[in-house]
Amino acid sequence: MLTATGVVAGYGEHTVLRSVDLTVTPGRITGLQGPSGSGKSTLARVVALLHPRTAGTVTVDGRSVTGSGYLAPAELRRRIGMVFQSPRAATDPRWTLRQVIAEPLGAARRSATRQRVAELAEQFQLTDDLLDRYPHQVSDGQLQRACLARAVALRPAYLVCDEATAMLDPSTTATIAQLVRGLADAGTGVLAVSHDRALLTAWADHVLDLHDLHADARTSWES
Amino acid sequence: MTAAGAVPGAPPVLSIRGLSVQLGLLDGRWVHAVSDLDMDLPAGTVTLLAGESGCGKSVLASALIGLLPPTARVRGQVGLDGPDPLDLLAADDDVLATRVRGRRVGLVPQSAGTALTPTRTVGALLSEAVTTLGGAVPAADLLREVWLDPDGVADLYPHQLSGGMAHRVLLALALAGQPDVLLCDEPTAGLDPENAAHVAGLLAAQARTGRAVLLISHDIAACAPVADRVAVMVSSRVVEVGPATDVLDRPWHDYPQALWNSLPERGFRPVPGDPPPLTDLPDDCAWHRRAGGACSGVLTLEPVAPDHWVSCGRGPVGVGC
Ligand SMILES: [Zn+2]
């Protein structure tokens, strides 16, 4: 399980999360819904160990994590992959999709990089022709599939999708949702964050409202 | 005989006939963005042009008002009705710049980031647009028209606007010259469902004042509820155009059905197959090559009702075929 307990976080003086609890369970897609600016992206980044918290704990499979970003232990950071809203902003325009996908494999000094890239390409429907293109030569949907492949390249136990389909058309959204469902069916614990309740209702196993996760909302959501 | 894409009884403000748009790439290939488009935009009507990303629809607004790069190849006719009727494709750029853009045809761009000068306040931007375009409605009233409070918003700079407010300011700017036609390119992009529905409602209110409104969008959930007519585009071609309820609930062509089925509340199944790149479209039907299924091979629009046009589809979807 990936859990956040009593998390307080924000930006400088501005606190957006006031003691929030959240659990992401292996093999399930947990939907997290809330309006724009409510802090759900901040919570996504906290549980992905990318954003600092001023109080509270995050545990990964029972191990409590100190710090965030590069201060968090690398082997715990690698247990969690993340996909963002804008695949263009999340990729280097000078890299081919093949390089984008291989990046975490290189950083982790894995051998057999080529074979893993080939596996990922098949899993995420990226042809050889697509792998050799640069981001500006592919569609947003194709680029987001590459970002998804990059996020799971090191076989993380958990995947956080932060508005990962917000800029995509309905068919591409359905494709990404299917691919993520495949990951969950294979055991990955997924946190899917969106402002779109209709999307999460169709995509997730259960949908949580960020408002209800605050301790001061005093609402039981664990059922 | 009625022209393809026509709407009997509703005289069009903008009448598009045989429009094809090709964009040249540096490597010598051509992007076939729009092929043989026939469509009318009647006064007082919201028309939704829906389709997947990359189907070519995003080029349409620029093509209609002469904003494509000079290397683009455009053919067809785009009739703009009014006291001074005009073929927009035959008009020279000076005419488009001084008499059409902003004045008779307004454009609501997708992104506030590039459309709003960052160093000017909302009030200054709007007043300048009103002066330049000779508009009769003052900036404060334009803000009220898009449900913004001038006292709270006129002194703000673009970076101080929320996403929903920025979209409404873009609409106010497009209204500065009081155009008869509003072309909207993904008007709800990046907005949450509540704000998206709000912006769509504002655009529908503009149609109620008599304007012809075109929503070019893949945000079907937000735009469909306010649409009077729906056109559906795939691989550069509009394959069906007609009354919104008919096209949304009982499409004749199998592509609109596949697109609606991809919505979370209507099955959440991706449209089958991958669209071919617009540089590499077949001469025959790209959709049925992609998805299989029966194709009559007739790529031009044919009437199935006086105001409802379909190409190559298989007859009413779900009705005995
Ligand atoms: Zn066909």
Side-chain angles (χ1 to χ4, degrees), chain B residues 239 253-254 284-289 293-299 311-313:
Chain B
V239 294
H253 197 281
D254 46 340
D284 55 3
C285 175
W287 161 247
H288 285 111
R289 266 181 188 257
C295 178
S296 74
V298 179
L299 298 184
S311 73
C312 84

Side-chain angles (χ1 to χ4, degrees), chain B residues 109-309:
Chain B
Q110 174 172 0
S111 152
T114 47
L116 299 176
T117 315
T119 54
R120 313 285 308 279
T121 64
V122 168
L125 284 167
L126 274 173
S127 299
E128 187 182 81
V130 170
T131 308
T132 309
L133 298 171
V137 180
D141 288 347
L142 290 173
L143 286 172
R144 286 189 198 98
E145 203 167 330
V146 297
W147 304 342
L148 288 171
D149 174 12
D151 293 335
V153 176
D155 292 335
L156 296 180
Y157 288 89
H159 75 269
Q160 296 172 304
L161 302 172
S162 70
M165 283 164 82
H167 275 69
R168 283 185 269 170
V169 169
L170 291 178
L171 173 57
L173 271 171
L175 294 173
Q178 297 291 294
D180 300 326
V181 182
L182 272 181
L183 306 176
C184 312
D185 182 19
E186 297 290 351
T188 62
L191 299 181
D192 61 43
E194 230 167 87
N195 274 302
H198 196 99
V199 166
L202 277 169
L203 294 165
Q206 288 306 318
R208 302 289 93 85
T209 71
R211 297 196 159 93
V213 177
L214 177 64
L215 308 182
I216 302 166
S217 181
H218 63 237
D219 189 356
I220 295 153
C223 294
V226 304
D228 303 300
R229 293 180 59 74
V230 172
V232 184
M233 191 169 179
V234 57
S235 291
S236 87
R237 290 182 183 277
V238 165
V239 294
E240 180 159 359
V241 53
T245 44
D246 294 342
V247 180
L248 291 166
D249 297 335
R250 293 177 301 278
W252 280 62
H253 197 281
D254 46 340
Y255 177 72
Q257 187 65 57
L259 185 61
W260 311 151
N261 287 347
S262 72
L263 293 166
E265 45 291 73
R266 297 198 37 183
F268 214 27
R269 291 187 295 279
V271 174
D274 274 325
L278 295 179
T279 47
D280 199 18
L281 292 181
D283 291 331
D284 55 3
C285 175
W287 161 247
H288 285 111
R289 266 181 188 257
R290 163 183 170 187
C295 178
S296 74
V298 179
L299 298 184
T300 50
L301 293 172
E302 304 196 309
V304 295
D307 56 354
H308 191 160
W309 301 80

